């Protein structure tokens, strides 16, 4: 084992939550190390869409202009389709937000990593966190990390952060309990299609299924289909693209017709679904952000926004570095997350009528407004 290095903060995971937290902490003078199992700029499962709170933070941090300069389209309208009824909503400028965006994760995560480097954080790809170091009193005080050659490193840190996804090693090693568990998990399949007209985001709802189209980089739309587990497995048995087209013909017939002459860039990506959860957000010497701490069904496309939000809240706590600050971080996360979590779980259950779906979306909108109001006072930039 190599001699022990020392950092103020060690973050496992260099995707959006981990990279954003590293950037914010390093900008305020903390010595930050980020380790990530994967390589720079790799892709990941994602809904791509950023809600107002997430865009507001990226604009405040100076990250949004880079995404726009890289060709990320501005989304100025979103349309909800309840059967044959279409409800169009123009994106109201305000809170520092001109429009919404849905960047590819290769671009978003890579840009945040670049910004973290520029702020002074150190990023080590192809490094895996394998254990936690503890004081005699049991407080986490660092971690063991294995590099790409198999060499083990002991790294001391005042705070170890898990931003390493739903299967978080930090959460497992810290024995972070699950405090809330969702009841539903809706499978989804998506693919990237070229050549569609950019009319903003579209969200389609029908009995037992939903679908959507999200404009993203390089003139592509991310087109997705979700359904109850029973229907999904029946429709997607065999060729996923054929299954997507079958569901779209019922849920979004105009979109299905538009796609009839289009082929996706690659085979569709399928996600079997996973029930959402909240884990304890922090403990002595450790904290969790992103999907490591809080995961909900992707049907409401709010995961990236939550990840950026919690990165900002944790950075504020790490700068103060007190038990009270980490307790506030955990309380704020739960206060804002639980309304989003519960309404998302209801939507993912597909037990609603179309009229009930509208009411659920009104609840979702109210929860997002509370989140934006909380982020408007966020100090870390």
């Amino acid at each position: 084992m190599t001699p022990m290095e020392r950092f103020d903060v060690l973050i496992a995971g260099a995707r959006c939550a981990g990279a954003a937290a590293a950037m914010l902490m390093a900008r305020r003078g903390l010595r930050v190390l980020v380790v990530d199992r994967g390589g720079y700029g790799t892709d990941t499962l994602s809904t791509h869409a950023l809600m107002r709170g997430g865009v507001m933070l990226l604009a405040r941090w100076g990250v949004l202009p880079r995404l726009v300069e890289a060709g990320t389209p501005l989304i100025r309208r979103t349309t909800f389709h309840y059967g044959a009824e279409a409800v169009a909503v123009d994106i109201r400028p305000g809170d520092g937000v001109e429009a919404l965006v849905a960047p590819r994760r290769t671009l978003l995560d890579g840009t945040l990593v670049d910004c973290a480097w520029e702020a002074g954080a150190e990023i080590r790809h192809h490094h895996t966190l394998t254990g936690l170091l503890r004081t005699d009193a049991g407080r986490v005080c660092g971690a063991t990390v294995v590099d790409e050659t198999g060499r083990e490193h002991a790294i001391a840190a005042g705070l170890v952060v898990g931003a390493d996804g739903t299967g978080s090693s930090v959460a497992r090693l810290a024995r972070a309990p699950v405090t809330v568990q969702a009841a539903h998990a809706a499978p989804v399949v998506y693919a990237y299609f070229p050549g569609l007209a950019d009319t903003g985001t579209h969200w389609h709802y029908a009995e037992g299924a939903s679908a959507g189209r999200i404009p993203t980089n390089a003139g592509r739309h991310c087109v997705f289909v979700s359904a109850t587990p029973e229907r999904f497995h029946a429709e997607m048995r065999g060729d996923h693209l054929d299954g997507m087209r079958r569901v779209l013909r019922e849920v979004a017939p105009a979109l299905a017709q538009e796609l009839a002459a289009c082929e996706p860039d690659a085979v569709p990506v399928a996600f079997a679904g996973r029930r959402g959860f909240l884990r304890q957000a922090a403990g002595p010497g450790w904290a969790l952000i992103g999907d490591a701490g809080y995961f909900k069904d992707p049907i409401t496309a709010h995961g990236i926004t939550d990840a950026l939000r919690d990165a900002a809240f944790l950075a504020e706590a790490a700068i103060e570095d007190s038990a009270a600050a980490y307790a506030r971080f955990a309380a704020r996360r739960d206060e804002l997350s639980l309304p989003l979590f519960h309404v998302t779980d209801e939507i993912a259950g597909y037990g609603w009528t179309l009229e009930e779906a509208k009411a659920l979306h009104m609840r979702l909108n109210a929860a997002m407004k509370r989140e934006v109001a909380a982020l408007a006072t966020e100090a870390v930039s």
Side-chain angles (χ1 to χ4, degrees):
M1 186 178 293
T2 59
M4 186 175 293
E5 299 177 274
R6 297 184 182 276
F7 291 85
D8 296 317
V9 182
L10 169 59
I11 300 175
R15 298 215 177 269
C16 64
M23 172 188 70
L24 296 171
M25 294 174 187
R27 284 179 177 178
R28 294 293 293 273
L30 297 183
R31 189 165 181 240
V32 183
L33 171 64
V34 183
V35 297
D36 192 277
R37 293 188 297 267
Y40 171 83
T42 55
D43 209 352
T44 189
L45 285 165
S46 181
T47 57
H48 303 81
L50 279 154
M51 300 303 158
R52 181 178 291 270
V55 179
M56 182 171 69
L57 289 175
L58 291 176
R60 184 181 300 165
W61 299 339
V63 177
L64 183 61
R66 298 191 186 200
L67 302 177
V68 175
E69 289 168 9
T72 305
L74 297 178
I75 299 169
R76 302 184 185 278
R77 171 173 287 194
T78 186
T79 305
F80 296 86
H81 302 261
Y82 302 99
E85 180 187 3
V87 180
V89 179
D90 290 327
I91 305 304
R92 174 184 56 82
D95 308 308
V97 175
E98 176 188 353
L100 303 183
V101 291
R104 288 291 298 266
R105 289 297 296 274
T106 48
L107 173 64
L108 175 63
D109 294 354
T111 301
L112 286 167
V113 165
D114 293 344
C115 291
W117 269 113
E118 292 165 13
E122 184 173 344
I123 320 291
R124 298 177 188 173
H125 290 284
H126 305 294
H127 282 57
T128 303
L129 185 147
T130 56
L132 296 179
L133 306 178
R134 297 179 183 272
T135 66
D136 292 341
R139 178 184 177 85
V140 171
C141 60
T144 54
V145 174
V146 175
D147 66 23
E148 65 268 33
T149 70
R151 177 177 293 182
E152 188 175 72
H153 304 257
I155 301 171
L159 176 68
V160 176
V161 178
D164 47 347
T166 56
S168 169
S169 295
V170 175
R172 174 177 53 81
L173 293 165
R175 296 184 290 278
V178 172
T179 57
V180 183
Q181 180 79 62
H184 306 105
V188 64
V189 61
Y190 65 89
Y192 301 100
F193 287 86
L196 301 183
D198 185 354
T199 57
T201 51
H202 290 258
W203 315 92
H204 299 262
Y205 300 91
E207 183 178 347
S210 62
R213 58 190 284 179
I214 303 168
T216 186
N217 297 92
R220 268 53 179 176
H221 277 70
C222 176
V223 178
F224 72 87
V225 164
S226 174
T228 62
E230 298 78 13
R231 181 171 184 183
F232 184 89
H233 294 308
E235 294 285 4
M236 299 300 162
R237 186 176 293 122
D239 189 307
H240 284 170
L241 181 57
D242 285 346
M244 284 186 68
R245 294 188 190 278
R246 284 194 297 272
V247 175
L248 286 169
R249 283 195 290 269
E250 178 182 340
V251 178
L255 176 56
Q257 184 174 2
E258 193 173 355
L259 289 175
C262 294
E263 292 295 325
D265 287 347
V267 296
V269 177
F271 173 57
R274 176 171 183 160
R275 287 196 298 157
F277 59 81
L278 271 76
R279 292 186 174 119
Q280 181 178 319
W286 61 269
L288 304 175
I289 54 176
D291 287 348
Y294 161 43
F295 172 78
K296 63 183 178 302
D297 196 281
I299 196 167
T300 51
H302 205 272
I304 302 174
T305 297
D306 285 340
L308 297 175
R309 178 201 74 193
D310 292 343
F313 288 165
L314 181 61
E316 187 174 318
I319 291 161
E320 182 176 327
D321 193 28
S322 68
Y326 293 118
R328 285 197 303 274
F329 154 69
R332 293 170 83 189
R333 188 207 68 171
D334 288 355
E335 179 184 5
L336 294 174
S337 299
L338 284 169
L340 293 163
F341 182 87
H342 290 309
V343 71
T344 295
D345 193 32
E346 288 190 60
I347 295 171
Y350 284 107
W352 35 260
T353 65
L354 293 182
E355 286 302 313
E356 289 168 340
K358 293 179 187 178
L360 288 170
H361 287 133
M362 292 298 292
R363 282 175 51 194
L364 179 66
N365 184 57
M368 289 194 293
K369 285 183 176 179
R370 286 193 292 272
E371 181 178 62
V372 168
L375 290 172
T377 62
E378 179 57 41
V380 175
S381 61

